[in-house]
Amino acid sequence: MAGTVARATRGRVALLTLDNPPVNALGAALRDDLAAALDAAIEDAAVGAIVIAAAGRTFPAGADIREFDAEARGIALPDLCDRIEAAPKPVIAALHGTALGGGLELALAAHVRIALASARLGFPEVKLGLLPGAGGTQRTPRLIGAEQALRLMISGQRIGAAEALAMGLIDGVVEEGLTEAAIALAADLAAEGKPPVPTRARRTGFRDPVLYARIIAAAREAPRNARLPAPDRIVDCVEAALLLPFDAGLTFERTAFADLLTSPAAKGLRHAFLAERLLRHTPEAGLAPRPVAQVGVVGGGPVGAGLLAALLGAGLRATLIEADRDALIAGLERIATLHEAEVAAGRLTPEARDADWERLAGSVDPARLAGAEAILDPGEAPQASLALADALAASLTPGAVLALGDPASPLWAAAASLGRAGDAIGLAVTEPSHVAPLVDLCPAPATAAETTATVAALLHRVGKTVLRSANGTFVLESLRAAGRRALRRAAEAGAAPEALEAALRDFGFALGARPFGALPATAVSDTSPSGERIAEGCLLALIAAGARLVAAGVALRPSDVDVAATLGLGFPRWRGGPMHMADERGLLQVRNALLALAAEDADLWSPAAIFDHLIKYGERFRDLDGGKSA
Ligand code: HSC
């Protein structure tokens, strides 16, 4: 074992196994170790062919994203790929898990690729504001042509091994025994003794240059968000693959990658990616959650019904509790409507819908919740909450947890009087709750850590991103309130609702979900603030609120505020989030801008003392993220 790469010999085959958990990201150490292992295998006269495989859950899922903001170290990934391709002995890549980005590029530089049937392949770089920068834009079209290459790189979507095989991206698929299959193939190639064909010499994808050029022209015309430069650069690079000699194409790609890497959009998207990963680092992260198979939901309003649809979709059994028969029927109808829409959109099969429905029960008797390991009450049905509070002793069985959307719910007191305050936790769900990604969890002072871990695990299971607020305040709701108030100030200064909406849209907000609620009415005025001023006021309000939440320990870290904004308020992901934007602008400048506005509304815009502290020590908000954010 040379650090992160284990070497073994099987007959005339050298097996190089990458081992850099959790996702075998291609960091400097792994790249250097692989280069050294490759050189040794090439020099070893007893080796006739080389297999590159990966230990753990996946073939490399890409370059190490955290390195993009650090000084370059070790052999560069494009150079490592070139070295693999130039090997005089056949190199076989054995793919499993998620072979993504730089991981897939590494595989494309090998001479043969086989994959486990369950493997997923893709180029997610575009979601980070980047393009495949280790030869991917040049090698991929040589194998599969412009159309498929552009589809993969511009959509960023993953494909399965069978599809990759059908389009010629890989050469074989096995149901099981991947490493053995790769070794057997390598042994055959070693016995044949033929020199390998490098991907750079392949021309399959260039068979019809006229069609290729037409596809490029059409891709250039396709409508896109002008603020995201990566797709256009991807089109340029795929065009260059046909027009330029291979090495010149690589240089072209490298320049485009370097340009994008430092673009504000890529920095914002990178920050957003890492911020979402950091969210799981909570005080209760290591605790084992209690098992939950049966869930109760109080109230079948839009939020409750959506939650039920999501819970059923994750295979859980669920019971809807309502105050009366009519409300119960209305709630069940809501779930049915959501299901039908999913079936119509092809996201749910009729069979899966029927299976979901089998696991659903409904009742007006809260005692029917006995046996549920978790009860969720978003707070939409006060009468039903009241009835449950009266019957809580029978309904909240030992070990069950209670997640409450309404801070004033009678269930808090009922739980406490049963000596069960440790089992209750605050919950704020974003709408539409069956698909909206974010849920905000806020433990009360008495909430047991195990309760937080249990509800978080349940929500993860239904595919939610869980934001962990603290100290009795919800991060998301506080931000929403700040944004709403900033819009009200703009309306008072004469901005019409259309102007408010246009300002938010121009800034990049996704407005479908009305991030700040209904727009305020406009005061009579001869003047109106400009769109830029409206957006700036709103951004600064979010920054000021975020800083206060961080200072008060409500947000565990500044990057949590950014996730709340991007996933919960439709704040443009490519801007990273308000705290990231504050860092990028410089905190002194932001503080001064806040001070200037604070005269108008001190509660909204005055900068918390944390600004002065960070400025004094030359730090930024990201320095409080725990060293892992970009
Ligand atoms: C890329 O590859 C660029 C290349 O084209 C060119 C480079 C050329 C450079 C040239 C220079 C001259 N890096 O998501 P999870 C961590 S761009 C670092 O919770 P899951 C993650 O932070 C990259 N870390 O797991 C977390 O760490 P923690 C293209 C990465 O099972 C842990 O792994 N690739 C990382 O839900 C678990 O992550 C991508 O964009 C990375 N690349 O999903 C793929 N990927 O535990 C990004 C993950 O300490 N990754 N981590 O918090 C994913 O989509 C998902 O993580 C997976 C796993 C689907 C891989």
Side-chain angles (χ1 to χ4, degrees), residues 145 174 237 294 341 344:
V174 293
C237 287
Q294 165 84 38

Side-chain angles (χ1 to χ4, degrees), residues 22 57 61 63-66 102 105 125 133 158 277 281 628:
R57 61 196 231 210
D64 188 335
I65 294 169
R66 296 196 175 97
E105 294 179 286
E125 285 89 342
R158 299 173 204 166
R277 272 37 204 192
H281 297 244
K628 285 197 156 190

Side-chain angles (χ1 to χ4, degrees), residues 21-27 31 57-68 72 75-79 98-105 122-128 130-136 158 253-254 257-258 261 273-274 276-281 628:
V23 299
N24 276 309
L26 289 156
R31 297 194 305 271
R57 61 196 231 210
T58 184
F59 198 79
D64 188 335
I65 294 169
R66 296 196 175 97
E67 276 185 4
F68 289 158
I75 181 171
L77 188 56
D79 298 336
T98 43
L100 302 177
L104 182 52
E105 294 179 286
F123 288 116
E125 285 89 342
V126 70
K127 297 181 182 170
L128 296 166
L130 299 172
L131 48 72
R158 299 173 204 166
E253 175 195 85
R254 204 182 259 222
F257 183 85
L261 192 65
F273 174 86
L274 291 171
E276 282 164 22
R277 272 37 204 192
L278 276 181
L279 225 48
R280 292 225 182 196
H281 297 244
K628 285 197 156 190

Side-chain angles (χ1 to χ4, degrees), residues 126 130 146-147 149-156 214-239 260 574:
V126 70
L130 299 172
E147 188 164 14
L150 286 172
R151 177 168 75 87
L152 285 181
M153 294 181 207
I154 292 179
S155 76
R214 217 178 284 147
I215 289 165
I216 295 291
R220 208 159 260 146
E221 292 304 312
R224 290 193 195 94
N225 181 347
R227 272 128 149 199
L228 296 175
D232 287 344
R233 303 297 292 264
I234 289 172
V235 177
D236 292 346
C237 287
V238 173
E239 178 182 50
L260 291 175
W574 51 271

Side-chain angles (χ1 to χ4, degrees), residues 4 20 39 122 129 152 177 189 271 274 343 366 416 437 446 454 463 473 487 507 511-512 611 626 629:
T4 54
N20 183 28
D39 287 350
L152 285 181
L189 292 173
H271 175 79
L274 291 171
V343 171
T454 301
T473 305
L487 291 186
F507 183 81
L511 292 180
F611 275 97
S629 142

Side-chain angles (χ1 to χ4, degrees), residues 439-453:
V439 175
D440 196 342
L441 266 193
C442 184
T447 307
E450 206 190 7
T451 300
T452 311

Side-chain angles (χ1 to χ4, degrees), residues 530-574:
S530 69
E532 261 175 34
R533 208 182 142 87
I534 296 168
E536 176 77 356
C538 199
L539 169 66
L540 287 170
L542 294 178
I543 293 174
R548 280 194 287 273
L549 292 168
V550 170
V554 170
L556 294 184
R557 52 186 86 77
S559 64
D560 286 11
V561 173
D562 290 335
V563 180
T566 50
L567 292 188
L569 298 179
F571 192 96
R573 193 177 164 82
W574 51 271

